[in-house]
Amino acid sequence: MRELETAEHRFIEAMGLYFERRGGTRIGGRIYALLMLAGEPLSNKRIAELLKVSAASVSTNLRACADMGLVEPASVPGDRQHYHVIHSQGWEGKLRVAEESLSAFARICAEALAVPRLAGNRSLREASAFCDFYKAELTGIAERWRAAHAPRPPRPDKTSKGRTA
Amino acid sequence: MRELETAEHRFIEAMGLYFERRGGTRIGGRIYALLMLAGEPLSNKRIAELLKVSAASVSTNLRACADMGLVEPASVPGDRQHYHVIHSQGWEGKLRVAEESLSAFARICAEALAVPRLAGNRSLREASAFCDFYKAELTGIAERWRAAHAPRPPRPDKTSKGRTA
DNA sequence: CAGTCCATTCAGTATTGACTGAACGAAGTC
DNA sequence: GACTTCGTTCAGTCAATACTGAATGGACTG
């Protein structure tokens, strides 16, 4: 990818702050934003260059992004660097994150409700009920989104460089 | 509220960690959990005692919880302390939080899309589309939840102490 | 098989920010 | 109107952790 211009830096920094605020890391957000903008596979090295951060940080944060399902590995024929692209089903990933967060919350409540003395607590019961409701809704959302956007089969008019899984 | 027992401490600490992990503060989560368990209005002072934290911290975190719509003020007749309870529509609040986070993300993308050079970016457009879709779904969820649970009019059999808005 | 080029891991550093104690201000009581 | 009793604000401290540079380990090349 070419060097970054002002508007792109703005986007990248904004995303960095967004990530930071939500409990992630700033560089994680920057990498994610950069890959969005790139539209093509980028190597660790190139990411470090463009973002002006250490290779170590790129490696760590890239792994975190991958674990969150935001980014996935790619490879470029004839190049042994590690490449990365935005995860193709990234948006469902966002739903998955919401689902995991909700499940963690539900688990905490369920554990408390298992204690006899707390089993009758109103807030706890409502929390639990809401979690069940919300979880069901989330799967519905995922299905509707998939139905509306996923069935489009991958068209061959990608940017330029070939990409493989 | 009476002193806390082991199971309650477990719940409170778990919620503290949950908040911390999601970008909030540990004490914020503990206060939230405590008010859930209490089921009655609690004063700043009592919260500080039960949680063994400074009054300053209680004040600060309580405000944060209120800003997030998790907690709301209450008052007890004949007592000039400030009381607090779990927000009665707290679950819609959880949806509102999700909505705000999503909107922040959407705003960042929209700002980038406003730049001519980036307007055609595929990931950016998909992100924007997903945000619109998700936001619509969230309002749908809120409505369905309200329809299923809110129409129950407030019954007068509250715990013991009176509570006013 | 030596040499190069990667990415990753680890220890160290520096920044951030959550929490505390003390000062301040407000509201109510005698 | 002095005194008490709160809650909030502010400066300071301390712990957590994001990031860096150096060392390590793999994978490919000649």
Side-chain angles (χ1 to χ4, degrees):
Chain A
M1 191 197 188
R2 60 173 203 293
E3 295 304 308
L4 297 167
E5 50 187 89
T6 318
E8 290 168 329
H9 274 299
R10 261 214 312 279
F11 176 68
I12 288 169
E13 292 309 311
M15 194 61 76
L17 291 175
Y18 177 78
F19 268 57
E20 200 169 30
R21 199 167 155 165
R22 298 215 27 163
T25 72
R26 196 181 298 188
I27 293 189
R30 292 205 270 230
I31 291 174
Y32 178 66
L34 177 58
L35 286 174
M36 277 184 83
L37 291 177
E40 62 181 350
L42 252 41
S43 70
N44 287 32
K45 196 181 182 185
R46 189 76 184 116
I47 292 172
E49 284 171 11
L50 288 167
L51 257 27
K52 294 182 175 50
V53 295
S54 71
S57 207
V58 170
S59 177
T60 303
N61 284 283
L62 220 27
R63 170 194 285 265
C65 283
D67 287 348
M68 287 191 291
L70 300 176
V71 158
E72 59 182 344
S75 66
V76 171
D79 192 332
R80 64 188 165 96
Q81 290 181 101
H82 292 192
Y83 281 79
H84 311 271
V85 292
I86 287 290
H87 195 289
S88 48
Q89 284 130 355
W91 309 117
E92 300 182 26
K94 209 165 167 57
L95 290 172
R96 218 197 59 213
V97 168
E99 203 277 338
E100 277 168 12
S101 169
L102 195 65
S103 289
F105 185 83
R107 207 171 312 125
I108 293 170
C109 291
E111 213 162 304
L113 280 172
V115 177
R117 174 143 197 189
L118 305 178
N121 185 286
R122 185 185 176 135
S123 294
L124 239 31
R125 297 179 78 90
E126 277 184 12
S128 209
F130 179 79
C131 285
D132 291 343
F133 167 79
Y134 198 176
K135 254 192 269 187
E137 290 284 341
L138 280 178
T139 64
I141 290 183
E143 278 165 19
R144 280 191 288 278
W145 172 258
R146 214 165 341 198
H149 293 76
R152 182 195 342 166
R155 294 176 303 171
D157 63 334
K158 290 301 168 79
T159 47
S160 56
K161 297 223 170 187
R163 79 178 63 157
T164 48
Chain B
M1 192 197 187
R2 60 172 205 292
E3 295 306 307
L4 298 168
E5 50 189 88
T6 319
E8 290 168 329
H9 273 300
R10 259 214 315 275
F11 175 67
I12 288 169
E13 292 310 310
M15 194 61 77
L17 291 175
Y18 177 77
F19 268 56
E20 199 170 33
R21 200 170 156 161
R22 298 214 26 161
T25 71
R26 195 181 300 187
I27 292 190
R30 292 205 272 229
I31 291 174
Y32 179 67
L34 177 59
L35 286 174
M36 279 183 82
L37 292 177
E40 62 182 349
L42 252 39
S43 71
N44 287 32
K45 197 182 182 184
R46 190 75 185 118
I47 292 171
E49 285 171 11
L50 288 168
L51 257 29
K52 294 184 176 49
V53 296
S54 71
S57 206
V58 170
S59 178
T60 304
N61 284 282
L62 222 25
R63 172 195 284 264
C65 284
D67 288 348
M68 287 190 291
L70 300 176
V71 157
E72 62 181 343
S75 65
V76 171
D79 193 331
R80 63 189 166 92
Q81 290 181 99
H82 293 190
Y83 281 78
H84 312 271
V85 291
I86 286 290
H87 195 290
S88 48
Q89 285 130 356
W91 308 117
E92 299 182 26
K94 205 163 170 60
L95 290 172
R96 221 199 58 216
V97 167
E99 203 276 342
E100 276 169 13
S101 169
L102 194 66
S103 291
F105 186 83
R107 208 172 311 125
I108 293 171
C109 292
E111 214 161 303
L113 280 171
V115 177
R117 173 143 198 191
L118 307 178
N121 184 287
R122 184 185 177 135
S123 295
L124 240 31
R125 298 179 78 90
E126 276 185 11
S128 211
F130 179 78
C131 286
D132 291 342
F133 166 80
Y134 198 177
K135 255 193 267 189
E137 291 284 343
L138 281 178
T139 65
I141 290 182
E143 278 164 19
R144 280 191 287 278
W145 173 257
R146 214 166 343 201
H149 293 76
R152 182 193 344 162
R155 296 176 300 169
D157 64 332
K158 291 299 167 78
T159 48
S160 57
K161 298 224 168 186
R163 81 176 63 157
T164 48

